[in-house]
Amino acid sequence: MTSKIRKFNYLFLITLFLVSFLKTNAQNGAALYQQNCAQCHGADLKGGNATSLIDGIWQFGAEDGYLFRNIKFGIAHLGMPSYEKVLEDTEIREIMKYIRESEKKVGAEKPPIAKMLETLDYDVNVEIFAEGLEVPWAIDFIDATTALITERPGRLRVVTNGKLQTEPVKNIPKVLNEGQGGLLDVAIDPDYYENGWIYLAYSHVLEHIIEGKRPPAMTRLERGKIKNNTWTDSEIIFEAPHETYRTTRHHYGCRIVFDPAGYLYFTIGDRGTSEHAQDFTRPNGKVHRINKDGSIPETNPFIDEEAAIKSIFSLGNRNIQGMAIHPKTGQLWVTEHGPMGGDELNLIKAGKNYGWPVITYGLNYNGTVITDLTHKPGLEQPILYWKPSTAVCGLDYYSGDLFKKWKNKLLVGALKYEEVRLLDIENNRVMHQEIIVKGQGRVRDVSTGPNGAIYVVLNKPGTVLRLTPKTD
Ligand code: HEC
């Protein structure tokens, strides 16, 4: 009898110990997660700059062993940092436990998309313009009735009269769909009616290179025409020297815009090697400027530098995924993914150096310091930086007539913060910021449509929203 009670007591104590141990374990895991992982995988683990950790999809192995290895050693070529020097093995296990528990809890899913949003100036109607897309990346408009949407895995989709066509455009270029790479931006030529050109940016891989090694890749630009739903007349208008291609799979940029003089600007991210952003013999970590046919403008800033890549327009840009031309001044504005706490809004000027990685307001994503410097002579300051980082993505000056009070204000999308901000800029200073869309999904692109509606591309679920002012 007594021994039974004793046994019971032991069991009870062990259970109590286990329960409390596991509990603090998970709490600690949650705190460690927020500190180290949330900025990329999202505060709610649903993703942001990196993949969701609770959607049941484990690209790099679902078992604990794989999770542990991926966290401890990182996935360098995709931008998943190594935590070997930052976290103890026990701490990694605590985070894993927290991930596993959160994975179980989902089920109670996201609320449906709001039908109406309130802003200072307008009540805004929200409609679903297109849905069921797979990682939509960019939208542009051929005319008032036809929109093109890129899906990162490598499809170009057409929306005609508000209806998403089931058949993607045939024969578009083959893209490397891995990590952050794939089919990226689409842009319609400003003189589309005369020439029919459409521009695509995508990750291009050199398949023939070195067996046993991951083949190197870089951002490439191509233009073509769409006839009978088929990509034709294609011309490659930018391809970096093959020796500069990188085996990493992140930080490709890339947005495309045209200025009033007809120049084409595009971006390439640092491809994970930050020092390259300072090196004009490398295409990565830069803004580039070319003519629409791919030739190099004679007025480009590094045209006389023998070793330079002649398309380079500015240096020191980490990973720009938002670009817009001011409708009145023709200035080039960009949003740039910084490291942790260092997302930037920049006004890009010819030949200038925007400082990455010599100066930054951010930290490495694993919390370690990149540099103590935020200023240095000869290096440009951002117009604005966001701390914490919102994961800025997608940018447009509102140029329509529907939201009259928003004319020429800047729309700034963000992945991690799931938002669109409206920035009021005067004399190159941000006077006011208002969040006009929040919590509807991760924003990949934002664009004024030909009819003055605002289109918001949500990464996941793959949906495009159409915003119009409520009139009564
Ligand atoms: C700098 C951004 C960044 C941070 C910080 C970060 N990760 Fe990642 N992580 C990534 C990227 C990028 C990938 C690759 C998948 C993708 O493209 O999103 C990844 C992949 C993973 C994977 C593999 C996912 C799969 O599908 O198999 C796990 C697990 C993971 N991360 C856990 C963590 C944990 C835990 C932390 C914090 C200790 C963390 N990550 C911090 C960027 C990050």
Side-chain angles (χ1 to χ4, degrees):
M1 189 71 175
T2 36
S3 85
K4 252 191 193 164
I5 290 175
R6 202 172 292 145
K7 225 187 221 162
F8 177 79
N9 273 343
Y10 275 132
L11 270 176
F12 180 74
L13 278 176
I14 290 171
T15 321
L16 200 70
F17 171 74
L18 270 178
V19 165
S20 59
F21 174 75
L22 290 176
K23 208 167 160 204
T24 50
N25 220 347
Q27 278 167 355
N28 197 19
L32 286 168
Y33 175 86
Q34 291 304 333
Q35 215 176 315
N36 293 285
C37 326
Q39 63 274 20
C40 286
H41 293 286
D44 54 6
L45 301 92
K46 287 185 184 163
N49 251 338
T51 178
S52 165
L53 296 178
I54 48 172
D55 58 1
I57 301 169
W58 295 103
Q59 277 177 272
F60 304 95
E63 284 94 59
D64 281 357
Y66 288 110
L67 251 71
F68 184 81
R69 192 196 58 197
N70 288 335
I71 299 168
K72 181 158 178 171
F73 302 111
I75 313 171
H77 70 286
L78 293 179
M80 164 70 195
S82 156
Y83 285 89
E84 202 181 358
K85 299 213 172 79
V86 183
L87 297 171
E88 302 287 334
D89 286 3
T90 50
E91 292 176 314
I92 294 180
R93 298 235 175 255
E94 285 168 21
I95 296 178
M96 282 168 56
K97 178 135 193 358
Y98 170 65
I99 295 174
R100 294 301 193 196
E101 282 178 3
S102 311
E103 209 179 1
K104 275 189 216 137
K105 272 189 222 148
V106 288
E109 252 318 303
K110 245 189 125 68
I113 281 171
K115 293 211 162 45
M116 228 259 298
L117 298 167
E118 278 178 32
T119 70
L120 289 177
D121 296 319
Y122 300 97
D123 284 345
V124 178
N125 285 322
V126 183
E127 293 162 83
I128 291 180
F129 178 68
E131 59 187 335
L133 296 158
E134 188 183 357
V135 199
W137 217 89
I139 188 166
D140 203 358
F141 295 84
I142 289 181
D143 55 36
T145 58
T146 314
L148 296 179
I149 300 171
T150 54
E151 289 179 301
R152 194 175 64 189
R155 284 179 299 269
L156 183 60
R157 305 295 299 271
V158 186
V159 180
T160 322
N161 293 315
K163 195 169 178 303
L164 178 66
Q165 303 302 307
T166 42
E167 187 68 22
V169 176
K170 291 191 221 50
N171 199 34
I172 65 152
K174 190 170 177 291
V175 306
L176 173 69
N177 171 29
E178 222 181 284
Q180 297 176 355
L183 181 58
L184 307 173
D185 208 12
V186 55
I188 313 294
D189 196 294
D191 301 320
Y192 179 82
Y193 283 111
E194 281 108 72
N195 61 33
W197 288 117
I198 295 163
Y199 300 76
L200 294 175
Y202 58 93
S203 316
H204 171 239
V205 67
L206 299 176
E207 295 193 26
H208 54 279
I209 298 255
I210 330 162
E211 249 173 73
K213 268 187 131 185
R214 196 183 306 114
M218 191 56 80
T219 313
R220 183 160 91 169
L221 265 71
E222 184 167 327
R223 69 174 180 177
K225 301 179 181 182
I226 297 176
K227 293 176 188 160
N228 301 321
N229 205 38
T230 306
W231 184 253
T232 59
D233 303 303
S234 69
E235 296 175 356
I236 289 161
I237 57 166
F238 175 83
E239 181 167 312
H242 287 183
E243 63 276 14
T244 67
Y245 276 45
R246 310 294 297 160
T247 55
T248 51
R249 295 291 185 256
H250 62 299
H251 294 185
Y252 287 97
C254 170
R255 296 288 174 189
I256 302 171
V257 292
F258 305 92
D259 75 1
Y263 294 124
L264 184 161
Y265 298 82
F266 67 94
T267 60
I268 305 183
D270 69 8
R271 304 289 287 99
T273 309
S274 50
E275 315 84 78
H276 286 181
Q278 291 295 322
D279 176 354
F280 66 27
T281 69
R282 299 270 179 182
N284 37 327
K286 314 288 178 339
V287 174
H288 295 258
R289 180 172 78 168
I290 55 179
N291 295 314
K292 293 193 289 185
D293 63 0
S295 59
I296 306 291
E298 276 167 19
T299 50
N300 265 15
F302 299 107
I303 193 100
D304 295 329
E305 296 284 351
E306 183 133 358
I309 291 191
K310 306 288 189 286
S311 54
I312 292 175
F313 190 72
S314 73
L315 291 86
N317 301 111
R318 184 171 175 274
N319 192 25
I320 292 174
Q321 293 196 328
M323 251 189 158
I325 297 285
H326 191 286
K328 282 203 171 139
T329 63
Q331 291 168 326
L332 175 63
W333 290 73
V334 303
T335 47
E336 174 165 338
H337 287 290
M340 196 169 134
D343 283 7
E344 295 182 355
L345 173 68
N346 283 306
L347 171 55
I348 299 292
K349 294 185 179 156
K352 298 283 186 195
N353 187 331
Y354 291 81
W356 174 253
V358 183
I359 57 169
T360 175
Y361 288 87
L363 298 170
N364 273 318
Y365 274 106
N366 58 16
T368 56
V369 174
I370 300 162
T371 163
D372 290 331
L373 299 180
T374 53
H375 290 67
K376 198 176 174 186
L379 302 180
E380 301 303 303
Q381 281 295 303
I383 298 287
L384 184 75
Y385 65 92
W386 286 279
K387 200 171 188 145
S389 295
T390 62
V392 282
C393 197
L395 191 72
D396 197 16
Y397 274 99
Y398 181 72
S399 54
D401 292 319
L402 277 183
F403 295 95
K404 288 218 160 46
K405 293 179 187 160
W406 292 356
K407 193 110 182 167
N408 298 337
K409 291 190 185 182
L410 191 61
L411 298 161
V412 184
L415 288 159
K416 185 175 77 177
Y417 272 42
E418 300 194 357
E419 65 180 31
V420 177
R421 288 181 190 220
L422 185 71
L423 268 55
D424 196 351
I425 301 175
E426 274 171 42
N427 299 325
N428 301 339
R429 286 178 60 192
V430 178
M431 309 306 284
H432 188 248
Q433 297 189 52
E434 184 191 354
I435 296 170
I436 58 167
V437 176
K438 182 75 189 169
Q440 304 301 305
R442 298 190 274 146
V443 176
R444 186 59 89 176
D445 196 11
V446 56
S447 180
T448 314
N451 42 23
I454 295 170
Y455 293 80
V456 181
V457 177
L458 302 176
N459 195 69
K460 202 173 174 190
T463 304
V464 180
L465 305 180
R466 179 174 187 271
L467 312 184
T468 49
K470 193 170 179 326
T471 46
D472 33 24

